[in-house]
Each structure stands twice: as structure tokens, then as C-alpha cells.
């Protein structure tokens, strides 16, 4: 399929998804599903996940598994809170980036220089992050310090200023035409208006900059000589070495940049909440890693995965009752999937897959029935289950995506110059 053809398919998929969301909204009566407030919350919550995922993408494309993203995000949140209350949101952003980069540097030293197993090093970073930040809080935020007098505690920093928000011209600037159209609750039209308004009205400037990092990453990794060298280090570092690539330096750069992205995601969490709070990341580093895997180690797929997780998180924050609409939404998606597979029943590809494909189809059919039954019988989920929604969705998405994944060939392999495995 040509690149133009892929873009057309992507646009059709987005249009079909919006149509499906509108249908679910009308059937369930949950107008909040496509409200501008939900979409704005989803955007704010998706960006830290996407940045963590971008961090994982940079490291793993260079052949270094980075499950320490959570710990790097934690470092980013603390340093952002510490710098932000003293010098403002921009300082918080820079400090969070540097804090995450420090975690990335530790991971690079362990894995690239000393050859420590990547998983073990990542787990160590995840343990070190909360420990280091608690120690720093006890030292710098204790009673009698300037930070404590400004409102800090052992588990929280003083408040920092709010960043600038902007509205896009012609869409959300001036007369609120999108808001009026959204309030009509017309099928599809009000849904499109709500989505556009949520994405363009009073948007954090730092969120816009973070979104731009997605296409920038694609350009750097897939359209520059540096990106080609970095990806070659993740596919076959010994072949890259034979062509004159300094694989050690490339891996170091990639892992430090990886940590910086994760720290940036942590900083945005602090800036959105206007202060640092212990445990603020709430597993978003792991969800970012899952979004990267779902996206098949590519920025576009990563953006889709982060949007999905951010939307689930934003919906449960805005309305716990609307979460049950996911049952109907999931059932309809499975039904569409079944229809697509049934159309291919006579194709050679389906016959080649044999029993395995029929088993997947049977599981999809059973899942459709179960989800429809849950939607018809469950009025409201317990709060504990509602808060678990993003994490359960993470597992389900990874299970669905596992059929088509292809990680870099040398991902996780310990590299030593001249010692090809």
C-alpha cells in the first residue's frame, strides 16, 4: 500500500471511529462521551503517556529495552515541582526534562557500559526513582525550610504557576460556534463539534509543543542519517559498527533522550496539577511502554495507543457512570472485526492460518456477547473497577496487538564491540 493510500485508510478509520462514538452516545444517552470537556481531559492525560512512550521508542529503536520509564517519570515530576515553585512552569519543564535524562543516563551506564541485563536495570531505576525523590523531599521540604513555609510537605511541593493557554483562530477563538453546535446534541455534528472544541479551546501551550514532538520524532528517526544510524544500532549493531557507526555513543544518546522524554511527561503532570504530589505518575510510565508496543515501535501507532489510554482515563475522571458505555463500544468494535473476518473466510490467508484464526474469531464472538450482556445488565461499576479501567484496557490492547508486533531485532541484546552473537 502506498503512503497516500495509508493516509486515506487512516482518515477513514478516524471518521468511522467518530461515527461509532456518536452512535454509542445516542444509544446510551451519555453526552459526556464526546463532550469538549472529556476530549480536553483526554488530551491532557494522553500527552504524558505519549511522551513516556516516545522515550521507550527512542531507547528500543537503538536496541536498549527501557522499562525504567516509570522511575524516570517520577524523577521528572519531583524536579519539575522543585524548580517550578521557585521559577515557574518553564523552569519546571526544563528541570523535569533534566531529571528524567539523569535517570536515562544511569540506565545507559548500567546497560551499555557495564552490560547489565536491561530488565534488571529498568527495575532498579523504577525502585530508585521513588526512593530518591522521597529522600530529597524529606531533606528539602522539611519543617523550617523555605519550601515548607511556601506550602510544601513531605509528599507535595509548593504550588507553581499555571502555564499560558491558547485557543486556535477560526475554531475556538471569538464567538463560541463549536460550543453552541455541541450543545444541540445532534447526531454526529455535535460530536464533531465537541471533539474539535476540546482539541482547540484553552489548550496548554506546553501540550501543543509536546504534540509536535511526535512528527519531529518520526522525521528524525526515519528521515535523517542520524535516525538511520540509531535504528541500525537496534537492528544489527555489529553491521552498523562495520560501517563506521559509533554504536556506544548512539545508544547513550538514545537512552538519555529516552529519559528526557519520560521526565518531560512527568513535568507536564506537575504543570497540569500546578504542584508535585508523590505517586503522581500512577503507572503512566508502564502504560506509555504499553502504548509504544501497541504502536509497533512507531510514532503514529504510539499516538493512537496513548490517545486510547488517555481517553479512557479522561472519561472515568469526568464521569464514572459513562464507563459502562465502553461495554457497548467494545461489543460494536468486536462485531466490526468479526464482519471483516467473515468476508475473508474463503481467502487463502485465512485458510493458511487455519484453526488459530477460527479460534480468534470464536473468542471475538464470545466477547461480543459478554460485553453486550454487561452493557444491558450493569448500570454502574464499583469505583475500584472504574479506576482500574485504563490498566485493564492496557492489557486488552496488548493482547489484541500481539498478533502483529515486530520489535527491533537487537532489542535487549547486550552489545560488545567486535563480539557478534
Amino acid at each position: 500500500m502506498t503512503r497516500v493510500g495509508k493516509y486515506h485508510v487512516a482518515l477513514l478509520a478516524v471518521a468511522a471511529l467518530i461515527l461509532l462514538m456518536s452512535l454509542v452516545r445516542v444509544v446510551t444517552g451519555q453526552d459526556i462521551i464526546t463532550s469538549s470537556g472529556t476530549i480536553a481531559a483526554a488530551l491532557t492525560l494522553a500527552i504524558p503517556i505519549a511522551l513516556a512512550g516516545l522515550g521507550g521508542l527512542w531507547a528500543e529503536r537503538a536496541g536498549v529495552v527501557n522499562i525504567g520509564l516509570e522511575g524516570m517519570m517520577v524523577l521528572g515530576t519531583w524536579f519539575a515541582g522543585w524548580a517550578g515553585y521557585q521559577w515557574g512552569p518553564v523552569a519546571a519543564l526544563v528541570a523535569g526534562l533534566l531529571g528524567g535524562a539523569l535517570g536515562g543516563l544511569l540506565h545507559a551506564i548500567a546497560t551499555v557500559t557495564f552490560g547489565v541485563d536491561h530488565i534488571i536495570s529498568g527495575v532498579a531505576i523504577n525502585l530508585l526513582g521513588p526512593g530518591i525523590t522521597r529522600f530529597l523531599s524529606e531533606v528539602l521540604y522539611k519543617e523550617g525550610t523555605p519550601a515548607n513555609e511556601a506550602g510544601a510537605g513531605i509528599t507535595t511541593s509548593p504550588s507553581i504557576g499555571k502555564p499560558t493557554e491558547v485557543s486556535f483562530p477560526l475554531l475556538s477563538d471569538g464567538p463560541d460556534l463549536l460550543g453552541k453546535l455541541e450543545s444541540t446534541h445532534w447526531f454526529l455534528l455535535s460530536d464533531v463539534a465537541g471533539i474539535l472544541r476540546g482539541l482547540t479551546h484553552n489548550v496548554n501551550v506546553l501540550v501543543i509543543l509536546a504534540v509536535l514532538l511526535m512528527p519531529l520524532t518520526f522525521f528524525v528517526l526515519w528521515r535523517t542519517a542520524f535516525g538511520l544510524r540509531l535504528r541500525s544500532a537496534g537492528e544489527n549493531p555489529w553491521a552498523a559498527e562495520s560501517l563506521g557507526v559509533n554504536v556506544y555513543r548512539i545508544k547513550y544518546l538514545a537512552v538519555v533522550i529516552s529519559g528526557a522524554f519520560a521526565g518531560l511527561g512527568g513535568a507536564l503532570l506537575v504543570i497540569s496539577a500546578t504542584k508535585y504530589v508523590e505517586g503522581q505518575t500512577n503507572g503512566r510510565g508502564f502504560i506509555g511502554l504499553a502504548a509504544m508496543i501497541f504502536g509497533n515501535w512507531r510514532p503514529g501507532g504510539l499516538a493512537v495507543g496513548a490517545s486510547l489510554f488517555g481517553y479512557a482515563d479522561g472519561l472515568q475522571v469526568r464521569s464514572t457512570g459513562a464507563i459502562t458505555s465502553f461495554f457497548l463500544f467494545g461489543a460494536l468494535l468486536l462485531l466490526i472485526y468479526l464482519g471483516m473476518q467473515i468476508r475473508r473466510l474463503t481467502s487463502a490467508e485465512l485458510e493458511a492460518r487455519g484453526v488459530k484464526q477460527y479460534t480468534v474469531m470464536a473468542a471475538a464472538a464470545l466477547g461480543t456477547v459478554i460485553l453486550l450482556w454487561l452493557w444491558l445488565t450493569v448500570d454502574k461499576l464499583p469505583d475500584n473497577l472504574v479506576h482500574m479501567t485504563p490498566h485493564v484496557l492496557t492489557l486488552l490492547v496488548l493482547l489484541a496487538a500481539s498478533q502483529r508486533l515486530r520489535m527491533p531485532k537487537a532489542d535487549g541484546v547486550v552489545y560488545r564491540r567486535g563480539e557478534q552473537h
Side-chain angles (χ1 to χ4, degrees):
M1 187 183 292
T2 64
R3 186 176 299 125
V4 174
K6 289 180 180 179
Y7 290 150
H8 287 165
V9 170
L11 289 173
L12 286 173
V14 170
L17 184 62
I18 294 173
L19 181 64
L20 191 60
M21 291 172 70
S22 182
L23 179 63
V24 171
R25 177 187 66 81
V26 171
V27 172
T28 61
Q30 295 283 354
D31 293 328
I32 203 167
I33 288 174
T34 55
S35 72
S36 56
T38 299
I39 300 303
L43 177 64
T44 302
L45 292 166
I47 291 302
I49 294 172
L51 288 172
L54 275 181
L57 177 69
W58 275 81
E60 300 208 10
R61 276 294 176 180
V64 179
V65 174
N66 188 0
I67 68 166
L69 293 168
E70 177 73 7
M72 296 172 195
M73 281 192 84
V74 170
L75 290 171
T77 58
W78 190 91
F79 281 100
W82 173 75
Y85 92 89
Q86 300 178 83
W87 303 295
V90 175
L93 200 71
V94 174
L97 186 150
L98 293 175
L102 177 62
L105 180 61
L106 291 174
H107 189 49
I109 292 171
T111 56
V112 179
T113 300
F114 293 102
V116 175
D117 183 272
H118 298 189
I119 303 298
I120 293 174
S121 176
V123 170
I125 297 292
N126 288 334
L127 294 174
L128 278 173
I132 290 173
T133 54
R134 168 51 78 97
F135 170 75
L136 290 172
S137 291
E138 290 182 352
V139 171
L140 298 176
Y141 293 163
K142 65 183 179 180
E143 189 174 348
T145 61
N148 182 264
E149 292 172 1
I154 298 301
T155 60
T156 183
S157 73
S159 179
I160 67 176
K162 292 195 70 174
T164 305
E165 293 182 342
V166 297
S167 295
F168 288 82
L170 303 179
L171 289 174
S172 290
D173 226 6
D176 194 4
L177 299 178
L178 290 176
K180 293 177 181 177
L181 185 56
E182 179 190 354
S183 64
T184 62
H185 303 305
W186 291 340
F187 176 74
L188 194 58
L189 286 178
S190 65
D191 301 289
V192 172
I195 291 170
L196 288 176
R197 188 172 186 271
L199 295 175
T200 59
H201 185 71
N202 290 342
V203 183
N204 187 330
V205 172
L206 299 179
V207 167
I208 297 172
L209 295 176
V211 169
L212 294 177
L213 291 174
M214 289 284 183
L216 180 62
T217 289
F218 175 79
F219 176 78
V220 171
L221 293 186
W222 274 271
R223 293 291 183 270
T224 66
F226 169 76
L228 179 62
R229 294 188 189 100
L230 187 146
R231 288 185 292 118
S232 70
E235 295 292 338
N236 191 330
W238 294 279
E241 170 195 303
S242 69
L243 295 174
V245 176
N246 189 329
V247 176
Y248 286 121
R249 184 172 62 188
I250 286 286
K251 285 180 179 288
Y252 256 89
L253 278 172
V255 180
V256 171
I257 291 172
S258 171
F261 272 120
L264 198 60
L268 281 178
L269 285 174
V270 172
I271 292 169
S272 298
T274 69
K275 64 179 178 179
Y276 159 77
V277 179
E278 190 174 74
Q280 202 162 23
T281 57
N282 196 27
R284 286 181 174 85
F286 298 112
I287 297 177
L289 188 64
M292 179 209 66
I293 295 171
F294 167 80
N296 213 6
W297 288 266
R298 296 184 71 88
L302 162 62
V304 173
S307 300
L308 177 63
F309 300 132
Y311 178 75
D313 211 1
L315 188 61
Q316 64 98 0
V317 167
R318 295 278 296 174
S319 171
T320 56
I323 290 295
T324 55
S325 61
F326 269 119
F327 295 140
L328 179 60
F329 190 72
L332 291 175
L333 284 177
L334 287 175
L335 203 58
I336 293 171
Y337 171 79
L338 272 174
M340 293 172 62
Q341 294 303 314
I342 289 171
R343 288 187 60 187
R344 297 163 56 190
L345 277 173
T346 58
S347 69
E349 181 184 351
L350 189 58
E351 292 173 4
R353 293 185 182 183
V355 176
K356 181 179 178 181
Q357 190 64 20
Y358 285 104
T359 303
V360 171
M361 290 173 63
L366 179 61
T368 303
V369 172
I370 291 173
L371 288 174
L372 281 174
W373 175 75
L374 287 171
W375 174 64
L376 290 169
T377 57
V378 177
D379 293 327
K380 185 178 180 181
L381 288 173
D383 289 343
N384 289 338
L385 290 180
V386 169
H387 297 315
M388 286 172 57
T389 300
H391 305 285
V392 172
L393 193 61
T394 301
L395 294 175
L396 294 177
V397 164
L398 286 177
L399 286 173
S402 62
Q403 306 296 319
R404 59 175 182 81
L405 297 180
R406 184 216 172 268
M407 67 168 60
K409 290 182 180 178
D411 195 14
V413 175
V414 175
Y415 166 76
R416 284 291 175 266
R417 185 177 288 129
E419 298 180 3
Q420 185 167 2
H421 291 187

